[in-house]
Amino acid sequence: MFSVGDMIAHPMHGAGVIDSIEDRKMNGATRKYYILKMPAGGMVVMIPTESTEQIGVRPIVNPDQADALMAAIPFLDAEMTPNWNRRYRENMQRLKSGDLHEVARVVKGLVIREVAKGLSTGERKMLLSAKQILISELVLSKKLTYEEVESQINAALTQ
């Protein structure tokens, strides 16, 4: 169980800080929710406390792990299938895994594909979402601004 002030990562929304734990009534049932404030955009995510493990919510990476990930980005395997449907499904599975290395693989692969052939609207949205997930966790872990982390990621992607 997490506490108020903990920094956690949601696989599909990115990382944030638990602002509060509240009882909310949804669909006739009262349940406890983590109220997660995201560092960028001011978004708030409600996560049922009893579903965190099933969803894949986890503590954010520590600064050393964040540095290791940034150093690994230029060397990540970003090969993707040419079939759009299969590529989209594989990338969605990588995002849902909650593994930050897999999220970075999606970002790198889609950036490479965007430069080479362009992206469909769906893949462009996926790239933006994957970048936001990656950046939000690194911002909290490394205590940097969104712009600083984005710049570091862009530099790592061009190496």
Side-chain angles (χ1 to χ4, degrees), residues 120-132:
S120 68
T121 302
E123 283 186 312
R124 196 170 300 112
K125 286 180 183 177
M126 180 180 280
L127 174 58
L128 290 173
S129 177
K131 257 188 157 178
Q132 186 275 321

Side-chain angles (χ1 to χ4, degrees), residues 2-157:
F2 299 106
S3 305
V4 172
D6 286 353
M7 292 184 275
I8 61 174
H10 185 289
M12 297 306 292
H13 296 292
V17 179
I18 298 176
D19 190 50
S20 62
I21 302 171
E22 300 178 5
D23 289 323
R24 295 279 177 107
K25 191 171 186 174
M26 300 269 184
N27 300 327
T30 301
R31 297 168 35 180
K32 279 198 177 311
Y33 289 88
Y34 294 118
I35 308 302
L36 186 66
K37 284 213 171 165
M38 309 310 270
M43 186 169 78
V44 175
V45 177
M46 290 177 33
I47 306 169
T49 58
E50 75 272 2
S51 303
T52 55
E53 197 171 304
Q54 178 185 352
I55 294 169
V57 174
R58 60 173 173 71
I60 66 166
V61 296
N62 66 43
D64 290 339
Q65 292 169 317
D67 289 338
L69 173 68
M70 291 297 292
I73 287 175
F75 309 104
L76 288 176
D77 173 29
E79 192 139 333
M80 295 185 173
T81 180
N83 180 291
W84 184 89
N85 283 337
R86 198 161 143 217
R87 183 174 62 245
Y88 190 87
R89 277 195 312 272
E90 288 171 358
N91 283 336
M92 190 57 75
Q93 281 303 114
R94 287 184 182 111
L95 292 179
K96 286 181 180 178
S97 76
D99 181 338
L100 217 48
H101 279 85
E102 291 299 311
V103 174
R105 270 186 68 195
V106 170
V107 170
K108 184 175 180 179
L110 290 176
V111 165
I112 289 169
R113 185 158 188 88
E114 182 178 41
V115 170
K117 299 182 180 180
L119 295 176
S120 68
T121 302
E123 283 186 312
R124 196 170 300 112
K125 286 180 183 177
M126 180 180 280
L127 174 58
L128 290 173
S129 177
K131 257 188 157 178
Q132 186 275 321
I133 290 167
L134 183 62
I135 292 170
S136 70
E137 188 160 351
L138 295 176
V139 161
L140 291 176
S141 178
K142 295 173 62 112
K143 296 183 180 13
L144 297 172
T145 67
Y146 190 93
E147 292 76 19
E148 289 170 323
V149 172
E150 186 175 32
S151 174
Q152 288 179 7
I153 289 172
N154 290 339
L157 289 169

